[in-house]
Amino acid sequence: PRGQWAGESHSDYLNEAVLSDASHSRTAFGTLQRLIDERVIRTTSGNTRVSVDVVCLSARPLLNLVAKRIFRQHRGRWDFEHYGIGVRRKSVSALGGRPVIYGDDSVWQSLPQGEHPWFQPRQSRPTKTSIDWTIENEWRLTSELNFDRLPVDDVFVFCATEDEAAELRSTCDWRVVSVETLNARSQGSDDIGN
C-alpha cells in the first residue's frame, strides 16, 4: 500500500513511517506476511461505487491472473501481484460472498439499494484504453474475511518465489505455493502434451 493499511489509523501510519518501527515491510510480500499474521482481510470502500466497505476477490484461476497481469496506469500499479491468499469458493459463499453484478448505469439504477455493494461497471468509462472489468470474475464480501472462521484446508497462500514460499511455510498453517513452481509445472505439462 502507498499509505495506511486497511484498518490502520493515520496516526499509527505516521508513527511507523517516522519511527521506522515496521513489523512488516510495505511491499507485496510484507503485506502478505501481515495478512497471514493477522488472519484477516479487512474491508475497504476505495474500489466501489458506493461507500460500503467490501472485500474484493477474484474467481479467476491463479496462473490465468499471472498471465493476464497488466499495469493499470490510472492506479499507478499492476492489477495483480504474485502474492495472495486463495479461499475455496464454497467458503466465501458460506460467509456471504457473492459474484458481482456487472452492468451499465441502467443496471445500477434498476438494482434494489441492498444490491449496490455487488455492482461493478462492466466497462470503465470510455477512453482510448477502456477496461472490461468482467475479466476479473470478481466476488465480494460485505464483511471482513476472517480466516479463523474457515477450515484450514479451504485456504492457501501463494507468493512469487520458492524461497519466499519456504520462508512462509515455517510460520503458516495453510498450504503455501509459489507462482514460480506453478509456472514451471504448467510449462512442463504443456511440453508433455505437445
Side-chain angles (χ1 to χ4, degrees):
R2 291 188 177 158
Q4 297 163 223
W5 303 104
E8 180 180 40
S9 72
H10 186 67
S11 174
D12 287 346
Y13 168 69
L14 291 176
N15 284 339
E16 181 182 305
V18 171
L19 301 173
S20 298
D21 189 27
S23 58
H24 298 292
S25 64
R26 291 185 184 258
T27 64
F29 185 64
T31 300
L32 178 60
Q33 289 173 307
R34 184 174 192 264
L35 292 173
I36 292 167
D37 288 350
E38 293 187 351
R39 302 180 67 85
V40 66
I41 297 177
R42 290 183 180 76
T43 59
T44 64
S45 61
N47 295 322
T48 60
R49 186 180 263 196
V50 293
S51 60
V52 174
D53 289 348
V54 296
V55 170
C56 300
L57 307 161
S58 176
R60 286 179 61 191
L62 178 57
L63 290 181
N64 184 272
L65 281 169
V66 172
K68 303 292 184 184
R69 181 178 188 241
I70 61 172
F71 189 79
R72 298 285 186 205
Q73 191 167 357
H74 69 287
R75 294 195 183 267
R77 63 176 169 83
W78 292 93
D79 64 342
F80 170 77
E81 294 294 342
H82 294 70
Y83 303 89
I85 300 176
V87 181
R88 287 188 199 276
R89 196 175 309 183
K90 69 177 181 161
S91 285
V92 172
S93 184
L95 294 173
R98 300 178 13 199
V100 301
I101 303 162
Y102 291 103
D104 58 15
D105 285 338
S106 66
V107 171
W108 166 262
Q109 292 167 3
S110 71
L111 290 174
Q113 189 72 21
E115 297 294 304
H116 284 165
W118 285 276
F119 176 80
Q120 174 64 35
R122 176 177 301 282
Q123 196 160 353
S124 63
R125 299 283 180 217
T127 65
K128 62 180 179 179
T129 57
S130 292
I131 301 167
D132 175 5
W133 293 112
T134 63
I135 63 171
E136 291 188 344
N137 198 8
E138 185 178 341
W139 279 57
R140 290 185 184 158
L141 283 164
T142 56
S143 62
E144 67 183 17
L145 179 50
N146 185 328
F147 295 107
D148 288 332
R149 296 177 55 195
L150 303 175
V152 73
D153 291 341
D154 284 2
V155 180
F156 78 96
V157 173
F158 62 92
C159 55
T161 69
E162 193 53 41
D163 287 344
E164 291 168 332
E167 181 179 338
L168 292 175
R169 285 183 193 113
S170 67
T171 60
C172 183
D173 299 347
W174 305 307
R175 183 170 43 113
V176 179
V177 298
S178 73
V179 173
E180 177 180 71
T181 298
L182 291 175
N183 272 330
R185 287 181 185 163
S186 172
Q187 292 170 358
S189 66
D190 288 347
D191 294 342
I192 294 169
N194 289 333

